[in-house]
Amino acid sequence: MNKTFIYLILAGLSFCAFVRYSPYVKNTQPGPGQINSDTIIPPFALMEIFTTEGCSNCPPAYKVVETVLANGKQYHQQVLLLDFHVDYNNVPWMDPYSNPEYTARQEKYGRVFPKAGVYTPQMIVNGSEALLASSSKRVNRAVNNDLKTIPDSKITINDARLNKRGIVKVRFSTENIPGDSMINLTLVQTTVVQKVLSGENAGQTLTHHNVVRSIIMVRAKDGNAAISLPDSSNNDSVAYGVIAFRQNPGTMKIVAATEKDVVK
């Protein structure tokens, strides 16, 4: 084989290698596992915790969710929290944020997840997994798994505003959600600091986040709603938020969720 022919072969291989690895050759379409951020609906993880201020095992759960929320904020992930205070452990300490409706909600989850039971502190993530809320490892795993799932539908809260009569007016819109579907609108008190005077947590000052104060249901096609503040809660120093979500009434799986701070 003569040298000229060898040089031509080597030159051809070099050209092919250059084309294959050229930084200017780009794939403009998302490949497997890639996300087109301009078109996808952002994933979310909605943590529901069922707690009570009379439960000595609940403060560690509050620390876990604080950390998970902080991590979500740091990495710009949609990690949401609803803190439901149940009413079945109100002796001797009466939890001022407890509500039998929230106990009923937890009991409904208990029927969906019979092996999990009903207890405090319990967490349900996206309505599809029940676990111990104080287990940092299990909570982080469940949240991270849901943050890898791209939802098919979306809720956007366009405005949440408190008027002088103590009513929060909410405007929202939806994508890929039938108009007659029900949307849950939850009013949360962003931060609650409470000193417990008796019971298992006597003497402790507890800090809660996103304590549920009210929850209503409206049709998706309505696009607006009004939520009244609890009695004696219209205080300028108290911050509120609204978390909206759509939930399958049979399986209890949450398929869309979002949140927005209430403007005063």
Side-chain angles (χ1 to χ4, degrees), residues 47-210:
M47 303 179 293
E48 298 178 64
I49 58 171
F50 294 91
T51 67
T52 172
E53 292 182 344
C55 161
S56 60
N57 293 322
C58 289
Y62 299 144
K63 296 296 184 182
V64 170
V65 297
E66 278 184 356
T67 301
V68 175
L69 287 173
N71 289 339
K73 185 176 182 180
Q74 178 181 355
Y75 294 106
H76 307 288
Q77 297 168 321
Q78 194 171 203
V79 181
L80 315 174
L81 170 68
L82 293 173
D83 183 4
F84 289 98
H85 286 226
V86 297
D87 71 339
Y88 53 78
N89 194 21
N90 274 345
V91 178
W93 176 250
M94 182 73 172
D95 188 331
Y97 304 100
S98 64
N99 191 315
E101 292 182 13
Y102 309 155
T103 301
R105 180 172 179 81
Q106 186 184 24
E107 290 172 344
K108 188 171 183 179
Y109 275 125
R111 292 190 289 274
V112 176
F113 307 107
K115 292 183 179 180
V118 172
Y119 61 91
T120 57
Q122 187 176 40
M123 178 182 289
I124 311 292
V125 181
N126 279 2
S128 58
E129 184 174 356
L131 48 92
L132 178 64
S134 56
S135 172
S136 177
K137 182 178 180 180
R138 292 190 63 192
V139 170
N140 277 286
R141 183 172 63 230
V143 167
N144 288 332
N145 285 341
D146 279 313
L147 289 175
K148 297 175 184 176
T149 303
I150 306 302
D152 295 324
S153 55
K154 181 180 180 181
I155 305 171
T156 300
I157 300 176
N158 307 108
D159 191 47
R161 195 169 298 271
L162 176 64
N163 65 24
K164 294 181 179 180
R165 295 178 295 167
I167 298 175
V168 177
K169 295 291 187 69
V170 182
R171 290 191 300 104
F172 66 93
S173 57
T174 62
E175 295 180 29
N176 301 332
I177 295 178
D180 287 329
S181 300
M182 302 305 295
I183 303 297
N184 294 270
L185 295 176
T186 311
L187 179 70
V188 299
Q189 190 166 330
T190 306
T191 303
V192 169
V193 179
Q194 177 76 30
K195 185 171 184 179
V196 179
L197 301 179
S198 62
E200 295 179 7
N201 292 320
Q204 293 193 53
T205 298
L206 304 179
T207 300
H208 316 298
H209 299 285
N210 284 11

Side-chain angles (χ1 to χ4, degrees), residues 235-250:
N235 187 319
D236 289 340
S237 64
V238 177
Y240 293 97
V242 174
I243 292 180
F245 61 96
R246 184 195 177 200
Q247 186 165 34
N248 184 304

Side-chain angles (χ1 to χ4, degrees), residues 1-36:
M1 183 179 295
N2 62 49
K3 292 183 179 180
T4 302
F5 185 66
I6 293 174
Y7 291 152
L8 288 173
I9 292 175
L10 292 175
L13 290 173
S14 298
F15 176 75
C16 290
F18 173 76
V19 171
R20 180 174 176 80
Y21 296 106
S22 170
Y24 301 105
V25 178
K26 299 173 66 177
N27 179 11
T28 58
Q29 298 298 322
Q34 293 180 317
I35 294 176
N36 186 336

